[in-house]
Amino acid sequence: MANIFLHYVFDLWADKWRKQAGRGDVIIVRYADDIVVGFQYRKDAEQFQQEMKERLGRFKLELHPEKSRLIEFGRFTADNRKERGESTPETFNFLGFTHMCGKTRKGKFTVLRQTMQKKMQRKLQELKEELRKRMHWAIPEAGKWLKSVLLGHYRYYGVPNNTRKLSAFRYHLRCLWALVLRRRSQRSRMTWDRMEKLAMRWLPLPRIYHPYPTERLRVTT
């Protein structure tokens, strides 16, 4: 319902707004009620923000006061903030990722995306509770389930420059599994060496599933 409603309330209006004469480049990304809008010029961003509030108000809607903000973001942001004596560029969260201004190994600007810390902590807490419920499952059965969990996590969060977060998720998941296995019996012989062998058997290593757009959309002739 949110998608259908916001298509008329926001999408059509925003598309018409950005096509008006005198505007700089405008990029709009919306998923359900989560929206990110990028502007070439700050004046356009400020005007859009104000008019968007008025537009939503006509339909008895409003922007989230804590999640809605205007930030400087892009290839010149770090240098601009440094000249003004300000700290490093701000980040923003969108669809489970924290987006940051970064650079490639060649020194070119790139948008870094890493798993949101709160999202990862929340997911690990859920898995901790699930592992307790499955405490007495046979190791192969639990291993297959954990493998599917990890692969699903990698397929969503497996983007360039996010390997460290993927590895951290796998490490903490391994620790949770080891804790549960040790609690199954007072005579547990679950050493770290044995746990490492189980992890290598059932917990796949991180993998990047989503290459950069320039690689994904490459055309050869």
Side-chain angles (χ1 to χ4, degrees):
M1 290 300 294
N3 272 322
I4 297 174
F5 194 67
L6 285 177
H7 173 70
Y8 295 99
V9 174
F10 176 79
D11 294 347
L12 298 180
W13 169 81
D15 186 57
K16 182 178 179 181
W17 189 95
R18 69 177 175 181
K19 292 179 180 178
Q20 295 178 9
R23 310 286 189 207
D25 292 336
V26 180
I27 299 174
I28 302 173
V29 181
R30 181 177 72 81
Y31 182 84
D33 59 350
D34 288 332
I35 305 171
V36 172
V37 189
F39 300 87
Q40 183 178 4
Y41 303 119
R42 184 181 183 89
K43 64 177 183 179
D44 287 345
E46 293 172 341
Q47 183 179 351
F48 182 90
Q49 185 180 43
Q50 180 58 40
E51 294 184 15
M52 180 180 176
K53 290 179 181 179
E54 296 173 358
R55 171 71 176 178
L56 294 178
R58 292 174 54 189
F59 297 89
K60 308 301 181 182
L61 300 173
E62 61 181 3
L63 296 175
H64 195 291
E66 296 179 1
K67 296 182 179 180
S68 303
R69 59 196 175 105
L70 182 64
I71 67 171
E72 183 181 12
F73 195 91
R75 68 180 62 194
F76 305 114
T77 301
D79 292 335
N80 291 341
R81 292 179 67 88
K82 186 176 181 180
E83 290 180 0
R84 297 195 298 263
E86 298 175 350
S87 59
T88 56
E90 294 182 76
T91 64
F92 68 91
N93 298 323
F94 186 59
L95 301 183
F97 289 94
T98 297
H99 294 68
M100 300 168 282
C101 294
K103 291 184 178 181
T104 64
R105 294 180 180 178
K106 296 182 179 180
K108 295 183 179 180
F109 172 79
T110 187
V111 177
L112 299 179
R113 292 177 295 163
Q114 296 188 352
T115 310
M116 284 175 56
Q117 188 65 23
K118 288 184 178 180
K119 285 280 187 178
M120 187 166 73
Q121 291 175 344
R122 189 180 306 135
K123 184 62 177 180
L124 287 170
Q125 182 61 37
E126 293 175 1
L127 291 171
K128 181 179 179 180
E129 296 174 2
E130 282 297 320
L131 279 168
R132 287 177 177 173
K133 296 177 182 178
R134 305 167 193 242
M135 178 182 294
H136 297 290
W137 278 22
I139 288 179
E141 189 177 6
K144 291 179 181 178
W145 171 65
L146 289 172
K147 181 179 180 179
S148 67
V149 169
L150 263 182
L151 289 177
H153 186 83
Y154 294 161
R155 288 191 177 103
Y156 185 83
Y157 291 103
V159 300
N161 298 305
N162 196 32
T163 303
R164 184 175 63 84
K165 287 287 188 177
L166 298 180
S167 297
F169 184 81
R170 179 182 182 272
Y171 171 78
H172 290 299
L173 185 58
R174 183 181 65 174
C175 292
L176 291 176
W177 194 18
L179 184 63
V180 167
L181 290 176
R182 287 173 178 170
R183 287 181 175 177
R184 295 207 305 186
S185 171
Q186 294 181 350
R187 298 180 180 180
S188 175
R189 298 179 181 178
M190 186 53 62
T191 63
W192 276 111
D193 287 340
R194 188 186 176 197
M195 191 64 231
E196 179 61 23
K197 291 179 181 179
L198 289 178
M200 293 304 297
R201 173 66 179 85
W202 297 109
L203 305 182
L205 296 173
R207 176 182 171 185
I208 301 302
Y209 280 87
H210 309 286
Y212 286 109
T214 52
E215 295 293 328
R216 185 170 66 249
L217 303 177
R218 178 177 293 177
V219 178
T220 57
T221 59

